[in-house]
């Protein structure tokens, strides 16, 4: 396309915005320049929100934003603003809610909203619009002309609509009166999840099917609290994780998960791979392996961690954002196979195993081709072929290696190589937890590199975070998720290896959470800081979306930090958050998995174990605690060298005794110090008290 079409997106860091820098549309990034132009020229704003791995965003771009005639209408009638929802989740949250209010149905991406230039309030919106009328949707160019005409002729209606819309936003912000959570909230959530569980395929509900990791994590932690009473939670978890690992949502050659499945059986995914999905799934599969010792779960953790480090970690240490669903302009082309291609790549004995295991003997399952999923288990394959299971495993491993190498020669999906603080926080926690539980130092080292990268490149004034980084440039004021997810990740890293300087920095981060984000009047945390640009709403999101709720993660991390150092400013802020959220959780329990886990931990705190002594000796103590965790007790373990000076808060009172010592607290009560490894092992084997 001619360089004359180069627009104002060309200087942005977002790969998604850069994809549109050559459009004939006169795109602006969100900012004062565009907003002032719209006010001055009295033109409505066309706000388009998407992200680089979004398939339908690409379709609409190709059909409409690359079309000269459509662009001419957009440029004449509107001020056009393009937003990457991953860099500006604040705008995305606001205008997704606006879309839901206006259309009374859920939104999605691409999001297309039309705003009054004088107050940024929306007056019409939708998601994808085709270039010609179809799918019961108007042609985009026709819609543009109708919207522009409406704006010119119906100002009184527009003003009245804006006032009523602002009133709705204000009522949403007020929320309901806070109340203290209790066990009934947890039980109601469990029962709702049980009733929505797909007993055949795992997961919840039908197609399209998302992993809903926060809900699964809640059920696992509820089971750990009382294994007898909540056995159904473990069954839901293990069934779902096994079905996902066997399904096509999982990449059987390269590791890692796609974003969701378009069918109820997890067979055909929407092929984009998001960093955040794989981060939370890493943590969950690692915890599930610790509780069950199922080899399948360990295999998924290993392969997914290897994929993340191989394909998603930058040389500087940070993790990239996503892999596209498309390659060479076709969704899934990189991942799907022609059966004869596989037959030619593999020796007959290996093909015989792969054919039965991956369903190549069945009908094609994706547009005339095969997307790999487990159709027949390896023991069954071995039985059919009359070979030993170990031989079937050997042949499959060789086949997978050959297919992976062949796939490596294909044109890869596009990669969004910006580094997002919040998403990196999730992946740091995922890799650190997996490395700690499965004893893999390489994964912990990768998490450490990313954590230090964020501190070095996305932190200003020692404890203020920026949201995004690319090509040496970090910018945009940090959001709640940036602070909450990184705080949570830092606490996980402290369980892997203690560093007092890191704890001191995490305390500064927590103080920023309280001072910049907390709603001191009603409890909970706003999504944007108190010095963020003023928008039409200051969101306070409680429900999980594509990622766990920032309020849920903040509450959990603050509870843990407060108990660890004995600073009850943090635990009290967490309790205020849970009280503010309880009415919403009671109404829609299935939508608040992260907050449910925080509520469970508030009502039934885990054991906090602080070990002091010589590091090489303490390894045996931490191994004993890790191995005992499979028995059901939720436990956090921090091994602190005897040489560590100047510990903050009550940690300073965890003094070093002759030899090694374990300090164990649960809630508001602590045991006498445990002074021998055998006594510590005996304590770990003591059955925990259970509650509903």
């Amino acid at each position: 396309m001619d360089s004359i079409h180069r627009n104002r997106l060309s200087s942005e860091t977002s790969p998604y915005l850069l994809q549109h820098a050559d459009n004939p549309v006169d795109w602006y990034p969100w900012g004062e320049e565009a907003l002032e132009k719209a006010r001055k020229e009295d033109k409505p704003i066309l706000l388009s929100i998407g992200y680089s791995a979004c398939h339908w965003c690409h379709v609409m771009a190709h059909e409409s934003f690359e079309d000269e005639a459509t662009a001419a209408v957009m440029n004449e009638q509107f001020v056009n603003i393009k937003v990457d929802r991953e860099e500006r989740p604040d705008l995305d949250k606001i205008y997704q809610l606006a879309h839901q209010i206006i259309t009374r149905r859920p939104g999605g991406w691409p999001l297309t909203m039309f705003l009054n230039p004088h107050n940024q309030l929306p007056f019409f919106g939708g998601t994808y619009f085709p270039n010609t009328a179809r799918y019961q949707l108007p042609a985009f160019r026709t819609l543009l002309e109708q919207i522009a005409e409406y704006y010119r002729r119906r100002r009184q209606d527009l003003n009245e609509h804006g006032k009523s819309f602002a009133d709705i936003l204000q009522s949403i912000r007020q929320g309901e009166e806070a109340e203290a959570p209790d066990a009934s909230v947890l039980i109601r959530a469990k029962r709702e999840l049980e009733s929505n569980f797909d007993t055949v395929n795992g997961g919840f509900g039908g197609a399209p099917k998302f992993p809903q990791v926060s809900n699964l994590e809640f059920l696992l932690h509820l089971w750990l609290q009382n294994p007898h009473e909540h056995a159904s939670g473990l069954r839901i978890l293990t069934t779902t994780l096994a079905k996902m690992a066997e399904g096509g949502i999982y990449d059987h050659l390269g590791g890692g998960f796609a974003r969701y499945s378009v069918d109820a059986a997890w067979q055909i995914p929407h092929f984009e791979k998001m960093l955040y999905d794989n981060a939370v799934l890493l943590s969950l599969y690692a915890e599930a392996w610790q509780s069950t010792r199922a080899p399948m779960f360990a295999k998924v953790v290993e392969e997914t961690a290897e994929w993340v480090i191989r394909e998603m970690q930058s040389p500087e240490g940070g993790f990239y954002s996503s892999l596209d669903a498309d390659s060479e302009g076709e969704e899934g082309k990189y991942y799907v196979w022609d059966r004869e291609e596989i037959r030619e790549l593999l020796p007959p004995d290996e093909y015989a195993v792969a054919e039965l295991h991956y369903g190549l003997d069945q009908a094609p399952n994706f547009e005339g081709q095969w997307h790999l999923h487990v159709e027949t288990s390896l023991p069954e394959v071995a039985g059919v072929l009359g070979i030993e299971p170990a031989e079937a495993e050997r042949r499959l491993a060789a086949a997978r290696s050959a297919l992976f190498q062949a796939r490596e020669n294909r044109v890869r999906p596009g990669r969004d190589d910006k580094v997002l603080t919040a998403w990196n926080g999730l992946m740091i926690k995922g890799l650190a937890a997996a490395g700690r539980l499965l004893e893999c130092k390489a994964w912990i080292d990768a998490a450490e590199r990313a954590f230090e990268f964020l501190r070095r490149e996305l932190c200003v004034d020692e404890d203020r975070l920026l949201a995004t980084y690319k090509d040496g440039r970090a910018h945009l004021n940090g959001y709640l998720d940036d602070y909450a997810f990184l705080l949570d990740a830092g606490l996980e890293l402290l369980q892997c290896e203690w560093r007092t300087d890191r704890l001191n920095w995490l305390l500064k981060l927590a103080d920023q959470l309280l001072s910049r984000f907390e709603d001191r009047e009603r409890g909970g945390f706003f999504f944007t800081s108190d010095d963020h640009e003023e928008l039409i709403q200051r969101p306070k999101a409680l429900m999980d979306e594509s990622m766990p709720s920032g309020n849920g993660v903040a509450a959990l991390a603050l509870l843990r930090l407060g108990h660890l150092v004995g600073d009850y400013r943090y635990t009290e802020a967490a309790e205020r958050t849970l009280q503010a959220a309880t009415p919403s959780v009671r109404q829609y329990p299935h939508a608040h998995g992260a907050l449910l886990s925080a509520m469970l931990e508030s009502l039934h705190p885990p054991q906090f174990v602080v070990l002091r002594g010589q590091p090489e000796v303490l390894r045996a103590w931490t191994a004993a605690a890790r191995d005992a965790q499979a028995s059901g007790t939720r436990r956090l373990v921090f091994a602190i060298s005897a040489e560590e000076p100047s510990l903050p808060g009550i940690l300073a009172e965890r003094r070093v005794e002759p030899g090694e010592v374990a300090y164990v607290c649960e809630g508001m009560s602590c045991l006498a110090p445990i002074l021998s490894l055998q006594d510590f092992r005996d304590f770990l084997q003591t059955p925990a008290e259970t509650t509903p």
Side-chain angles (χ1 to χ4, degrees):
M1 201 168 282
D2 196 311
S3 62
I4 195 171
H5 290 144
R6 200 81 179 154
N7 56 48
R8 290 166 179 79
L9 302 182
S10 59
S11 60
E12 293 298 302
T13 60
S14 159
Y16 174 66
L17 298 189
L18 292 171
Q19 289 171 2
H20 294 270
D22 288 329
N23 290 168
V25 178
D26 187 16
W27 289 116
Y28 286 78
W30 181 278
E32 188 53 37
E33 181 184 6
L35 300 178
E36 174 60 27
K37 176 181 173 66
R39 288 191 296 266
K40 185 177 180 180
E41 298 182 8
D42 193 26
K43 286 184 176 180
I45 293 168
L46 192 165
L47 176 66
S48 176
I49 302 178
Y51 61 102
S52 68
C54 165
H55 173 71
W56 287 101
C57 299
H58 296 321
V59 173
M60 189 167 178
H62 177 68
E63 290 180 345
S64 294
F65 304 149
E66 296 172 8
D67 178 68
E68 297 279 354
T70 303
V73 177
M74 293 173 68
N75 294 338
E76 180 182 354
Q77 303 290 351
F78 300 90
V79 171
N80 303 291
I81 298 179
K82 176 64 76 173
V83 165
D84 182 342
R85 67 106 172 175
E86 297 169 356
E87 285 196 339
R88 292 303 303 265
D90 54 335
L91 294 170
D92 186 54
K93 287 181 186 296
I94 289 169
Y95 289 107
Q96 290 286 354
L97 174 63
H99 173 277
Q100 190 168 352
I101 293 170
I102 291 172
T103 66
R104 299 189 178 182
R105 60 179 182 268
W109 302 278
L111 182 68
T112 308
M113 300 297 289
F114 297 90
L115 316 183
N116 185 327
H118 303 289
N119 55 23
Q120 299 162 34
L121 290 169
F123 58 93
F124 187 78
T127 52
Y128 163 80
F129 290 101
N131 59 340
T132 58
R134 60 184 186 276
Y135 312 131
Q136 297 182 316
L137 292 169
F140 187 53
R141 200 186 315 166
T142 301
L143 176 69
L144 294 174
E145 292 165 348
Q146 291 173 344
I147 293 291
E149 180 70 11
Y150 177 86
Y151 182 78
R152 285 192 298 269
R153 296 184 178 275
R154 304 288 293 273
R155 290 302 181 88
Q156 184 61 35
D157 292 346
L158 198 67
N159 292 336
E160 291 175 1
H161 170 84
K163 183 179 183 304
S164 64
F165 191 87
D167 290 342
I168 292 172
L169 290 180
Q170 181 64 23
S171 68
I172 291 173
R173 175 175 175 176
Q174 293 298 324
E176 299 181 54
E177 289 299 318
E179 61 173 294
D182 56 41
S184 69
V185 180
L186 308 181
I187 300 305
R188 178 175 176 180
K190 172 198 161 187
R191 288 173 179 163
E192 182 171 308
L193 292 171
E194 286 175 336
S195 68
N196 202 31
F197 174 56
D198 180 344
T199 57
V200 175
N201 300 304
F204 304 100
K209 186 173 280 186
F210 291 80
Q212 297 193 32
V213 173
S214 292
N215 284 332
L216 293 170
E217 189 175 55
F218 162 68
L219 291 174
L220 173 60
H221 294 165
L222 193 65
W223 171 79
L224 286 168
Q225 178 62 36
N226 189 328
H228 175 73
E229 184 69 23
H230 302 303
S232 64
L234 184 66
R235 183 174 66 254
I236 291 171
L237 171 81
T238 55
T239 300
T240 301
L241 295 189
K243 293 294 186 180
M244 286 175 58
E246 292 172 346
I249 193 173
Y250 184 65
D251 182 351
H252 291 272
L253 301 183
F257 289 85
R259 183 163 166 251
Y260 66 90
S261 173
V262 301
D263 60 277
W266 306 107
Q267 190 174 114
I268 302 300
H270 189 34
F271 286 89
E272 63 198 21
K273 283 185 177 179
M274 313 301 295
L275 186 73
Y276 57 78
D277 287 318
N278 287 280
V280 293
L281 284 164
L282 261 178
S283 297
L284 183 62
Y285 272 92
E287 281 196 77
W289 173 82
Q290 185 192 36
S291 296
T292 65
R293 292 299 195 262
M296 173 192 286
F297 297 163
K299 176 177 176 287
V300 166
V301 172
E302 291 162 7
E303 292 173 356
T304 300
E306 289 168 6
W307 165 73
V308 167
I309 295 169
R310 181 181 68 243
E311 297 191 25
M312 302 301 285
Q313 188 161 31
S314 73
E316 298 168 286
F319 293 104
Y320 301 132
S321 295
S322 63
L323 295 182
D324 206 329
D326 301 357
S327 54
E328 300 183 81
E330 296 182 26
E331 184 179 6
K333 184 174 182 178
Y334 181 75
Y335 297 100
V336 300
W337 293 88
D338 180 82
R339 181 166 56 189
E340 294 310 308
E341 180 186 6
I342 295 178
R343 196 190 301 273
E344 290 174 7
L345 286 167
L346 302 179
D349 61 340
E350 293 175 13
Y351 179 80
V353 172
E355 179 185 42
L356 295 176
H357 186 60
Y358 290 133
L360 301 173
D361 59 333
Q362 307 292 310
N365 60 2
F366 184 77
E367 298 178 0
Q369 294 184 293
W370 281 261
H371 178 55
L372 302 183
H373 68 284
V374 175
E375 179 70 25
T376 307
S377 72
L378 266 184
E380 290 177 287
V381 170
V384 171
L385 298 178
I387 60 176
E388 292 296 319
E391 175 61 15
E393 288 184 18
R394 186 198 66 77
R395 293 185 192 179
L396 182 67
R400 289 177 65 234
S401 178
L403 295 177
F404 176 76
Q405 292 302 323
R407 197 178 76 175
E408 287 284 279
N409 295 321
R410 296 177 176 179
V411 176
R412 288 180 172 275
R415 182 171 64 190
D416 187 321
D417 60 354
K418 68 179 179 293
V419 175
L420 295 169
T421 300
W423 298 16
N424 271 250
L426 291 174
M427 182 53 74
I428 290 165
K429 180 180 180 180
L431 279 172
R436 177 173 60 84
L437 296 175
L438 277 75
E439 300 181 71
C440 182
K441 188 174 184 300
W443 304 342
I444 297 172
D445 289 344
E448 289 274 1
R449 287 180 58 217
F451 190 90
E452 291 307 314
F453 169 82
L454 295 182
R455 283 195 63 179
R456 184 175 68 249
E457 301 293 346
L458 286 119
C459 182
V460 293
D461 300 329
E462 292 192 0
D463 52 7
R464 295 299 304 276
L465 297 176
L466 299 175
T468 183
Y469 172 96
K470 187 178 184 296
D471 297 334
R473 179 186 168 201
H475 69 126
L476 298 178
N477 205 12
Y479 308 104
L480 168 64
D481 290 358
D482 299 310
Y483 288 82
F485 295 172
L486 196 54
L487 178 61
D488 192 35
L491 288 170
E492 180 59 52
L493 281 174
L494 288 179
Q495 291 196 79
C496 299
E497 182 181 1
W498 183 267
R499 284 180 49 179
T500 302
D501 65 321
R502 177 166 292 160
L503 173 61
N504 288 330
W505 186 75
L506 293 176
L507 292 169
K508 292 180 181 178
L509 211 62
D511 290 342
Q512 288 288 348
L513 258 181
L514 299 190
S515 65
R516 298 284 183 180
F517 292 88
E518 189 180 13
D519 183 346
R520 296 178 186 86
E521 180 181 349
R522 293 182 171 270
F525 295 92
F526 293 111
F527 189 72
T528 54
S529 61
D530 59 357
D531 58 351
H532 198 76
E533 74 171 289
E534 187 173 349
L535 302 171
I536 62 172
Q537 187 196 33
R538 192 179 181 196
K540 186 166 65 175
L542 299 174
M543 297 185 187
D544 301 319
E545 296 174 356
S546 54
M547 293 183 291
S549 155
N551 268 280
V553 175
L556 187 71
L558 290 170
L559 282 171
R560 293 178 171 182
L561 185 65
H563 284 302
L564 178 64
V565 300
D567 188 334
Y568 295 106
R569 293 181 303 131
Y570 303 138
T571 54
E572 288 168 1
E575 296 295 347
R576 288 193 295 271
T577 300
L578 299 180
Q579 291 164 12
T582 295
S584 182
V585 177
R586 283 193 189 280
Q587 192 171 6
Y588 304 108
H590 65 281
H592 296 83
L595 277 160
L596 286 166
S597 286
M599 286 179 177
L600 175 63
E601 193 147 313
S602 171
L603 293 168
H604 307 292
Q607 289 177 357
F608 278 76
V609 179
V610 174
L611 305 173
R612 300 299 310 273
Q614 296 303 313
E616 59 276 8
V617 180
L618 288 182
R619 290 192 186 98
W621 293 61
T622 57
R626 180 186 61 242
D627 294 341
Q629 192 121 339
S631 65
T633 302
R634 293 179 300 123
R635 182 179 296 121
L636 285 75
V637 181
F638 302 91
I640 307 176
S641 168
E643 275 72 48
E644 283 286 342
S646 306
L647 293 170
I650 61 171
L651 288 174
E653 301 173 14
R654 309 296 192 233
R655 296 179 178 85
V656 180
E657 303 287 343
E660 280 61 47
V661 58
Y663 294 93
V664 180
C665 296
E666 188 167 346
M668 307 302 292
S669 63
C670 298
L671 302 179
I674 301 173
L675 300 176
S676 78
L677 178 56
Q678 186 55 53
D679 288 346
F680 186 55
R681 285 178 172 146
D682 291 343
F683 158 74
L684 294 171
Q685 298 305 318
T686 304
E689 293 185 12
T690 59
T691 51

